[in-house]
Amino acid sequence: MAMQLTHDIVPTHLVINAMRDSGYKNAAYAIAELMDNSIQAGATQVELLCGERRDVIKQRQRSRIYQLAVLDNGCGMNAEVLRLALQFGNGTRLAPELQTGIGRFGMGLPNSSVSQARRVEVWSWQNGLNSALYTYIDIDEIRDNGMREIPEPYHVPIPDVWLNAGKSFEDSGTLVVWSNIDRCIWRSAKSIIDNSKMLIGRMYRYFLYERTVSIRLVSFDIENRKFLPDIEEFAFPNDPIYLMDQTSCPEPFNATPMFQPWGDPMEFRIRFQGSDHSVWVRFSYAKEEARLTDNAGSLPHGRHAKDNVGVSIVRADRELELDTTWINSYDPRERWWGAEVLFPPTLDDLFGVTNNKQSARNFSQMAKEDVDQLTKEYQSFTAAREDLEAQEDPRMTLAEIVIHLQKNIKQMRELIQNQTRGYRPVQKRHEESRAEQKGTEVTRRRVEELGKQGTSDLQEEQQPLQQRKVEIIEKLVEQGVAETQAEQIASQTIGRGFKYAKAIANLESPVFFDVSSRGGSILVSLNANHPAYEHLVELLEESVENSTEDELKSRLTRAREGLELLLFAWARYEDEQINAAARSRVQDARIDWGRIARDFLMNDD
């Protein structure tokens, strides 16, 4: 029989296969599209129901996903709306004035469903379960029988298997069922739930946190007439900037926020399509008790944070994506900062929101390339701002948001890097305090035998212990040292009677180290921003565990080179003193320092 030719603008049997390749990152993102519809319909309860059955695979019985459903207690749909909901690109919220919620594009239900399964069935009701209307899409029917229209909805009872599994069947609601699931990479219900709950918790964190929606995740044996769930969990908010409490973060930060705000939220006003709109940007960074502990990154809360790195792009309180292009993937400290951009659906066209709601392309492009391109094109960013503002080009605000993000992320990185560099557990500080102890002994001898008294000695005589400790802490915190760490350093210095305390600081000046007298002690703050720190101090402080002999030799060679370059730098400094009197003063300083260094470095043996 000859093939029947059609002249449809969009041949259904061909396009449906293209629709299946619509770019969902995984099944969890496709499931989220169904949950978007539920929340848009006013649901307060949403359920992911995963029905398994046991198959024999390589002579072993294994449970495999058979059908998957999303159930809600939203407002339900009448026949006309239900039929529209299964059409690609159609829906009830396409008009600009209706673009206020998390839905919009009219693609979510059919697009997400066929991306994972060959058949999608929908029951929806508005006046009790007996009023449920039913329709469907079937890929095989489209291919084999030329199905070109969504079947007109008609009354079909909801199958008992879903009535037994779900707990949200109320007077109104919707049930979407996927069958013949052939494109889901997760083959078991457990893997679907395990891989979905963190993403779902993050996407809908604001709804879950405010308790306007609860999300139940269930797996069960679909062939077992007596329903007993194998897995039953509820999604918890998963906040990537960790400012919420009662979240999925492991103890002790499940009940209390793990991060603290970095500055105040910033509002950007955008004039777009004749109206004014607000975009908010927020930042956070980890509390000291979260990251300044031994092996913090490998603890449960540290591993949780590792899976939440990036800039969270949030539209209408629903996360589009956690953009990881902002992070340095090689640096484990990236997990300790957070950033969030929140914007309304009325800015979808400006931000470039994709129809599968997985990214904001225009914003990402601005972050990756366009800011630099604007600067090159106009010779400076200031010139670009003046010209684009004169043209009322809204992209200028996107560029300013990107620059605001870049600036604050850089500052958070510097703070975290500095505090992490200088961190030493209390026990390790005691083990590594030989230099402080030896320096203290030499200083005492110089005072007693030579009468060489310093500013710190007068403070030590005149100030009570608690005041001395407070002054040391205040100075260290002023230099960017974490308060917890400053407390450790001050307690050890005062408690053990040390004259010296060493810290790693983020100094703005070009000095390699800073010296100050506080609380009767001499504080030596190594400048983490100076190249000498990286080439000498940090190199020697790195852990030797798991290092090969060649790696250790290389580090010692580089450290020796760093020391030699420091000496060469001093030599050049003396050489540049053309004036004889100035050169003499510098030489005298070197000689005096050499004498004191001799006392400090001389072996008592």
Side-chain angles (χ1 to χ4, degrees):
M1 186 173 75
M3 180 181 296
Q4 182 177 358
L5 298 177
T6 69
H7 299 282
D8 296 343
I9 293 176
V10 180
T12 308
H13 66 289
L14 297 177
V15 169
I16 196 71
N17 287 324
M19 293 295 188
R20 303 202 76 196
D21 298 322
S22 53
Y24 285 97
K25 296 175 184 176
N26 54 49
Y29 283 90
I31 291 166
E33 283 276 28
L34 304 184
M35 293 185 174
D36 282 355
N37 292 339
S38 298
I39 294 171
Q40 188 72 62
T44 59
Q45 299 174 47
V46 182
E47 300 186 35
L48 172 62
L49 309 173
C50 300
E52 290 186 317
R53 78 176 182 186
R54 299 188 70 79
D55 291 333
V56 177
I57 301 173
K58 294 183 178 179
Q59 299 181 338
R60 293 181 60 186
Q61 280 201 344
R62 297 179 184 272
S63 292
R64 288 289 183 262
I65 190 70
Y66 181 67
Q67 288 183 310
L68 181 151
V70 170
L71 166 68
D72 69 60
N73 67 344
C75 64
M77 293 176 277
N78 61 29
E80 181 181 358
V81 174
L82 175 55
R83 204 173 189 188
L84 286 175
L86 274 172
Q87 284 185 288
F88 290 88
N90 212 338
T92 61
R93 305 191 63 82
L94 303 184
E97 64 272 13
L98 298 177
Q99 295 170 15
T100 57
I102 58 178
R104 171 190 172 184
F105 297 100
M107 298 288 285
L109 197 165
N111 222 31
S112 62
S113 299
V114 301
S115 76
Q116 305 297 315
R118 302 189 67 81
R119 183 178 177 90
V120 53
E121 301 171 279
V122 184
W123 284 263
S124 196
W125 56 98
Q126 294 184 311
N127 189 26
L129 296 180
N130 291 334
S131 68
L133 295 170
Y134 167 86
T135 191
Y136 70 97
I137 294 176
D138 191 294
I139 301 295
D140 296 325
E141 287 190 27
I142 293 172
R143 182 194 62 194
D144 298 337
N145 304 325
M147 178 183 181
R148 294 171 59 186
E149 290 187 349
I150 304 299
E152 184 174 345
Y154 57 102
H155 290 288
V156 172
I158 298 169
D160 288 342
V161 64
W162 303 116
L163 292 173
N164 290 333
K167 291 185 176 180
S168 300
F169 286 102
E170 298 183 6
D171 285 343
S172 63
T174 298
L175 174 71
V176 180
V177 178
W178 293 349
S179 303
N180 298 333
I181 301 170
D182 62 340
R183 291 201 170 189
C184 178
I185 60 172
W186 304 314
R187 302 307 299 157
S188 70
K190 182 180 186 305
S191 59
I192 290 174
I193 290 175
D194 287 346
N195 285 283
S196 298
K197 64 184 177 184
M198 189 164 183
L199 177 68
I200 287 170
R202 198 176 69 222
M203 278 186 173
Y204 302 108
R205 60 184 180 269
Y206 282 103
F207 299 94
L208 294 169
Y209 182 67
E210 293 165 5
R211 299 189 178 182
T212 57
V213 174
S214 71
I215 299 177
R216 177 174 175 251
L217 312 169
V218 179
S219 77
F220 62 96
D221 182 351
I222 206 164
E223 295 178 330
N224 186 347
R225 295 291 181 182
K226 186 176 180 181
F227 175 77
L228 291 172
D230 295 317
I231 300 173
E232 183 175 22
E233 299 182 16
F234 285 86
F236 279 85
N238 172 21
D239 181 15
I241 63 173
Y242 292 99
L243 294 178
M244 294 178 178
D245 55 16
Q246 305 304 320
T247 68
S248 63
C249 187
E251 293 182 349
F253 300 108
N254 57 333
T256 185
M258 183 164 67
F259 286 15
Q260 57 195 333
W262 172 273
D264 295 323
M266 181 73 171
E267 181 184 18
F268 291 84
R269 297 290 292 169
I270 298 181
R271 185 76 177 171
F272 185 65
Q273 295 180 345
S275 300
D276 291 323
H277 312 268
S278 292
V279 178
W280 289 91
V281 180
R282 300 199 302 162
F283 301 97
S284 63
Y285 67 109
K287 295 177 180 177
E288 293 175 13
E289 58 265 34
R291 59 189 165 86
L292 294 185
T293 57
D294 293 350
N295 302 313
S298 60
L299 295 177
H301 70 268
R303 295 197 299 271
H304 193 276
K306 180 185 177 184
D307 293 330
N308 273 332
V309 294
V311 174
S312 180
I313 311 298
V314 179
R315 169 190 179 271
D317 288 342
R318 190 271 210 191
E319 183 184 82
L320 295 179
E321 70 170 328
L322 189 63
D323 189 347
T324 59
T325 60
W326 292 82
I327 67 168
N328 297 325
S329 57
Y330 58 83
D331 191 342
R333 291 171 293 198
E334 293 288 84
R335 75 190 70 192
W336 302 125
W337 62 262
E340 182 180 67
V341 179
L342 305 99
F343 69 94
T346 46
L347 293 178
D348 281 351
D349 290 341
L350 177 61
F351 273 77
V353 177
T354 56
N355 62 19
N356 57 20
K357 298 196 288 276
Q358 290 185 135
S359 65
R361 290 177 303 192
N362 296 350
F363 184 73
S364 297
Q365 181 67 23
M366 180 65 73
K368 292 173 186 174
E369 299 176 11
D370 286 359
V371 167
D372 292 337
Q373 186 61 38
L374 284 171
T375 303
K376 291 177 183 176
E377 183 179 339
Y378 287 89
Q379 305 302 315
S380 72
F381 185 74
T382 302
R385 177 190 289 114
E386 292 173 354
D387 188 42
L388 293 179
E389 285 180 349
Q391 300 177 44
E392 296 185 352
D393 190 329
R395 291 182 304 149
M396 193 64 247
T397 307
L398 289 188
E400 289 177 336
I401 294 171
V402 166
I403 289 173
H404 182 67
L405 282 163
Q406 291 171 339
K407 174 186 173 184
N408 282 273
I409 290 172
K410 180 177 182 290
Q411 291 173 348
M412 289 190 292
R413 278 190 181 123
E414 288 174 350
L415 174 67
I416 292 166
Q417 183 181 54
N418 175 51
Q419 294 183 346
T420 306
R421 275 171 165 170
Y423 171 71
R424 289 288 184 279
V426 174
Q427 182 61 35
K428 198 165 186 180
R429 285 194 179 276
H430 286 312
E431 294 171 357
E432 296 179 349
S433 61
R434 291 181 58 188
E436 287 93 332
Q437 184 173 348
K438 176 105 184 257
T440 300
E441 293 169 357
V442 172
T443 301
R444 303 292 186 208
R445 286 202 302 267
R446 288 181 62 80
V447 172
E448 295 168 4
E449 298 173 8
L450 303 176
K452 298 288 187 180
Q453 194 168 46
T455 304
S456 64
D457 302 321
L458 298 176
Q459 296 170 347
E460 189 176 2
E461 293 172 1
Q462 298 169 2
Q463 296 175 344
L465 290 177
Q466 186 58 32
Q467 182 184 347
R468 291 170 56 195
K469 180 178 176 180
V470 168
E471 287 195 3
I472 293 173
I473 293 173
E474 288 177 347
K475 180 61 178 178
L476 293 173
V477 171
E478 178 189 318
Q479 292 182 325
V481 177
E483 191 166 343
T484 302
Q485 182 186 343
E487 169 74 29
Q488 287 183 8
I489 295 172
S491 296
Q492 176 174 281
T493 302
I494 298 300
R496 303 185 70 183
F498 288 162
K499 286 295 294 181
Y500 297 89
K502 185 194 79 172
I504 311 302
N506 221 4
L507 306 179
E508 297 296 332
S509 74
V511 298
F512 171 33
F513 61 93
D514 178 72
V515 177
S516 57
S517 298
R518 289 291 189 280
S521 296
I522 302 170
L523 308 184
V524 179
S525 302
L526 300 174
N527 186 3
N529 292 327
H530 196 287
Y533 180 84
E534 178 185 353
H535 288 85
L536 184 58
V537 181
E538 190 171 47
L539 199 64
L540 294 174
E541 287 191 341
E542 289 179 6
S543 172
V544 298
E545 294 179 9
N546 302 320
S547 296
T548 65
E549 183 177 346
D550 288 342
E551 288 171 342
L552 293 174
K553 287 179 179 178
S554 174
R555 281 168 54 181
L556 288 173
T557 300
R558 286 156 57 203
R560 183 190 65 194
E561 180 185 274
L563 177 59
E564 290 171 347
L565 288 172
L566 280 177
L567 297 176
F568 295 162
W570 179 275
R572 180 58 184 174
Y573 173 59
E574 283 194 26
D575 188 56
E576 290 179 1
Q577 307 305 312
I578 304 300
N579 180 283
R583 185 165 57 255
S584 179
R585 286 194 297 272
V586 171
Q587 290 172 346
D588 287 344
R590 171 166 52 81
I591 293 168
D592 289 340
W593 189 26
R595 289 195 186 100
I596 298 176
R598 177 190 60 198
D599 293 340
F600 273 66
L601 294 170
M602 188 179 294
N603 195 320
D604 290 334
D605 295 338

